[in-house]
Amino acid sequence: MQQTPLTIDSIFRYVERHHGDKTIVTNSPTGPVRTTYAEWAVRTRKLGGVLDTLGISADGRVGTFAWNSARHLELYFAVPSTGRVLHTLNIRLFPEQLTYIANHAEDEAVFVDRTVLPLLWPLIDTMTTVRHVVVMDDGGDNEIPDDERVSLYEDLIAAAEPIDFRVEDENTAASMCYTSGTTGNPKGVLYSHRSTVLHTMAVVQPNVFGMAETDVVMPVVPMFHANAWGLAQAGPAVGAAMVFPGPMMQPKALADLIVDEGVTFTAGVPTIWQGVLPELAGRDHKLRDIGCGGSAVPKALSEAYRERVGLPILQAWGMTETHPVATSARLPRRLFDGSDEDKATYRARAGVPFMGVEVRIVEAGTTDELPWDDVATGELQVRGSTTALDYYKPDAGVELATPDGWMKTGDVAAIDATGSVRIADRTKDLIKSGGEWISSVDLENAIMSHPKVKEAAVIGIPDPKWDERPLACVVVVEGEELSADEVIAHITPMVAKWWLPSAVEFIDEVPKTSVGKFSKKDLRTRFADYQPS
Amino acid sequence: MQQTPLTIDSIFRYVERHHGDKTIVTNSPTGPVRTTYAEWAVRTRKLGGVLDTLGISADGRVGTFAWNSARHLELYFAVPSTGRVLHTLNIRLFPEQLTYIANHAEDEAVFVDRTVLPLLWPLIDTMTTVRHVVVMDDGGDNEIPDDERVSLYEDLIAAAEPIDFRVEDENTAASMCYTSGTTGNPKGVLYSHRSTVLHTMAVVQPNVFGMAETDVVMPVVPMFHANAWGLAQAGPAVGAAMVFPGPMMQPKALADLIVDEGVTFTAGVPTIWQGVLPELAGRDHKLRDIGCGGSAVPKALSEAYRERVGLPILQAWGMTETHPVATSARLPRRLFDGSDEDKATYRARAGVPFMGVEVRIVEAGTTDELPWDDVATGELQVRGSTTALDYYKPDAGVELATPDGWMKTGDVAAIDATGSVRIADRTKDLIKSGGEWISSVDLENAIMSHPKVKEAAVIGIPDPKWDERPLACVVVVEGEELSADEVIAHITPMVAKWWLPSAVEFIDEVPKTSVGKFSKKDLRTRFADYQPS
């Protein structure tokens, strides 16, 4: 057989040659902007020329600091297709983290959306390797600094010549993401061309997202986070039309875009879909799947979508270190005739890995595999072609892999007989009470099934007798009233008696991380000296 | 990223671990036989042990001479997963071809179904490297020879120990098929583990066959031909249930199996579906797609399925040398609102390649690429990870690749602006008349759209003035009457006047090749001295 490397430029050439007429839509403060893959491809080739002109090293890191857009998609392809490494900077990180990451990756340039320029520019002198700041005008009106490092994206494209792309070695580094870890410095994960193509082919299969030429794909999951769950490569690889929200991330703007553009597939974190639900409920749409992951999808949320939008949420699980998709909870054939309740319970799982990813659970700190009986819980570990085994220039003492070559996820999970994963908790979020573990995720799911609860996060608080006890931090739906006793009464039939939270605190909002996950670290800090009354 | 090889044993481990409860059904003269992937996996591991016990070389070729069955699927996985090479022998080849192929591949063993043992056994002494003949009892009653080379499959499995599978190098040879070429000796195509996994991931995507865990997949295309179009790997790779026809290839048996087993996806050559149509029409079924290829799918056949079975035929194109699937004619988004006629016309195309395969058409004998305007026709050439560039131990003078690294298909095609391929003809079947080319395939399609025509094949016959002229060989539907004038009158509005056949001959049956394609070579021999009256 012919030895053709698995490279991102082969995805580029495919969509350029076969699907030039398909559209790419990017939303903006002044309304949607339309282009086609044909026009996009010319610009992407010109962007390759720009990178040469700017003098970016042959394998240099090129940062982006941008919303989801057709321009960001140009960077997603031009940077790796010229042999360089795309480094997507998370616009929601703290300034110190951004500086650390840009310097750690040794970014030579940063391509920044004008709407978020004020978040980046004040840091630019701390980013010691950045020689170029290229501003992409996404409809914002922020002032553009008069500085020799600064140039305008459209000026550079207009002046550039299109170039040929051809990466010869599929193991060449293609892109990198830093995980916004809750302890220590952020850690960089490096994706290769090969791993990117294999991940792309995996997520387009019907067991996962099931993407086709007939789809209109809208990645709400940010392109600055975890490789946009592979959607930015998967859409082009099958010739799907693309829709990008740009900076217009408000729930109503997202719902309008879904309806107006005939979006068939979209994906984002649970908090996004929580916000979009009331804006989308009852409207005509063409959605066939709503992908969701990043943190556990509450069963109540998925069921609310099934009842009010017409389709349940499709949960997937993974992490930056797994490219990121590793499992998906597509309803299996055996449940076709199952009850709504059984189906909803299944959909709340992380699901089954696709062929190419292996999973196991082990007794913490050992390589002793635990049974797949859906009861035993242990640390979830994965391996496969799309799995990282180490970080980019890791700090001493940071070890991602086990001695026998599996990746430690930090999640605690059970696995059923079909290998479907059920995430019990993050290792660090488990509550240890009287020598037994309590799953904060299960408690949150139970509490969030109360119709008056908007959000809930459960953390462990120190307890002299039991070591730790659960504290439920609950956000009530606006205009509603709820008591601690009502919360406890609601979940009493759902969980073991000794799991019942020792206290319920009502808060205004659950603090979120930069990627929209519940930040339990912040809650733990806030309630560090908490005493149940 | 982790360097995990793309190997067939990783597909095996995936289905073994995650989908053990799904069923595999094999039809037989005494009715369907049921098993599960769990039981199949144990037997497949034992079969690995059998190969060791028989003393097959570490990279030895293992022949199969068998129908589609769960046992054949055991061989499909055990042979390559132990590092050996699966060699599927086509049971419909001539004896001399079988002898040539087995000796050329140096097969050390042949696993043979009892129902077809009489086709193989008389040749066994001519197969000089074959040391073992292992008989699989598929319900036939043929006598089993008393010979020291012969053993019974079930006896060997019963006595064997299951073994571990682990192929380390993805470029290891995995399987081989010989093409039943119409000129010269049969030619062997060697598939690697890597190319097999990449082909598997390609065909399961929705743009191609779109296979999922929720499917029940029935390969009618023989496992002894062209890698069974990848279905024998694709089903397990997504956890689909499998249904095999075994020796029960009669149209009624196939239709019953589709209905009784709830088959959702099936695939085979046009002549199969021609036969199955009246047996399936009007019955309840769960089919979502009927894949078809191997030779051009007549538009009339696809439309007859749409009208009488409820779904049109899904055409794919490829050849043994392309693993074999390279393109598919899934209806594109732009035709969603098209007329039935436009849709049917599109479905008669070979279609668009999947990402990973590239196509071009060139002026014969040059590397000058012709435009994608759907008008210009030239030799279709392909390249990519699933494309062969040479044959196994090729004869001198046989060159599959062009100097610039593309594979010559021998097909003449046009390509439209979206890169959708339309096969005009096989190079050798084109009719050269007055210095211009006439497509025999187009003429056949036109003739076969007549309701009284069962089959039609068009060949070139010598003509003193025009060099060649078309002769239409027509098979009339049983019980109907049709005249040559009626045939000509029917197609006159459809083709250029100078394309109209100079003569129409009515024949009882179009001769078929060993894989069910029209054998125009046989027709040309029969009509070598033909004189139009």
Side-chain angles (χ1 to χ4, degrees), chain A residues 2-3 171 207 213-214 333, chain B residues 3 171 213-214 333 387:
Chain A
Q2 192 164 13
Q3 280 298 344
N171 293 308
N207 283 351
E213 188 271 345
T214 51
R333 187 175 179 82
Chain B
Q3 281 297 346
N171 292 308
E213 188 272 342
T214 49
R333 187 175 180 84
T387 301

Side-chain angles (χ1 to χ4, degrees), chain A residues 321-343:
Chain A
E321 291 85 344
T322 61
H323 225 296
V325 181
T327 72
S328 59
R330 183 97 43 201
L331 204 67
R333 187 175 179 82
R334 68 176 183 281
L335 284 178
F336 275 10
D337 299 326
S339 66
D340 285 348
E341 173 61 22
D342 285 349
K343 290 177 182 174

Side-chain angles (χ1 to χ4, degrees), chain B residues 436-477:
Chain B
E436 299 284 345
W437 294 107
I438 295 173
S439 160
S440 65
V441 170
D442 285 356
L443 283 175
E444 288 158 9
N445 256 314
I447 297 169
M448 284 195 281
S449 72
H450 192 294
K452 291 185 183 171
V453 172
K454 187 178 173 198
E455 290 177 341
V458 175
I459 57 171
I461 48 171
D463 183 277
K465 179 169 177 194
W466 302 106
D467 188 11
E468 281 190 331
R469 287 297 301 159
L471 166 67
C473 306
V474 176
V475 182
V476 180
V477 171

Side-chain angles (χ1 to χ4, degrees), chain A residues 130-421:
Chain A
V130 173
R131 292 180 284 112
H132 302 282
V133 175
V134 182
V135 178
M136 303 185 282
D137 196 337
D138 61 339
D141 56 3
N142 293 307
E143 196 183 339
I144 293 168
D146 180 13
D147 187 291
E148 62 176 7
R149 288 167 293 191
V150 174
S151 48
L152 298 179
Y153 190 83
E154 292 303 326
D155 290 353
L156 296 176
I157 294 287
E161 290 297 318
I163 64 165
D164 281 344
F165 295 142
R166 187 73 65 175
V167 173
E168 299 291 345
D169 179 357
E170 66 189 29
N171 293 308
T172 304
S175 65
M176 65 196 308
C177 298
Y178 280 75
T179 62
S180 46
T182 42
T183 54
N185 287 319
K187 295 160 192 74
V189 179
L190 203 58
Y191 305 128
S192 68
H193 281 261
R194 173 182 164 108
S195 68
T196 304
V197 171
L198 292 176
H199 183 263
T200 302
M201 294 180 79
V203 299
V204 304
Q205 65 173 275
N207 283 351
V208 190
F209 296 147
M211 235 110 47
E213 188 271 345
T214 51
D215 273 315
V216 179
V217 174
M218 180 168 96
V220 177
V221 51
M223 292 168 80
F224 58 69
H225 170 59
N227 188 33
W229 298 354
L231 300 177
Q233 293 100 16
V238 299
M242 297 296 287
V243 174
F244 293 110
M248 310 302 287
M249 290 288 283
Q250 309 82 344
K252 180 163 188 321
L254 293 174
D256 288 350
L257 208 55
I258 287 169
V259 170
D260 295 346
E261 299 298 334
V263 169
T264 62
F265 181 87
T266 182
V269 294
T271 45
I272 289 283
W273 301 128
Q274 195 87 56
V276 167
L277 175 60
E279 302 292 342
L280 193 57
R283 296 175 71 180
D284 274 346
H285 63 79
K286 293 202 163 64
L287 286 170
R288 64 159 177 81
D289 269 317
I290 299 170
C292 195
S295 49
V297 179
K299 191 200 271 192
L301 179 64
S302 184
E303 284 295 277
Y305 265 81
R306 188 173 67 80
E307 285 159 15
R308 299 178 58 195
V309 178
L311 73 168
I313 280 179
L314 170 63
Q315 183 162 197
W317 173 90
M319 47 204 296
T320 300
E321 291 85 344
T322 61
H323 225 296
V325 181
T327 72
S328 59
R330 183 97 43 201
L331 204 67
R333 187 175 179 82
R334 68 176 183 281
L335 284 178
F336 275 10
D337 299 326
S339 66
D340 285 348
E341 173 61 22
D342 285 349
K343 290 177 182 174
T345 301
Y346 187 86
R347 292 192 187 103
R349 303 178 73 93
V352 177
F354 48 77
M355 196 277 293
V357 168
E358 294 178 89
V359 295
R360 72 175 185 185
I361 45 174
V362 299
E363 199 72 68
T366 74
T367 57
D368 299 336
E369 206 171 326
L370 293 165
W372 287 14
D373 58 10
D374 213 22
V375 174
T377 57
E379 188 187 36
L380 180 64
Q381 301 184 339
V382 300
R383 69 176 178 189
S385 307
T386 51
T387 302
L389 283 187
D390 48 24
Y391 290 114
Y392 181 66
K393 297 192 292 181
D395 295 333
V398 173
E399 274 180 19
L400 188 55
T402 64
D404 60 341
W406 291 70
M407 197 201 88
K408 296 179 279 188
T409 66
D411 277 346
V412 177
I415 303 182
D416 75 9
T418 71
S420 169
V421 175

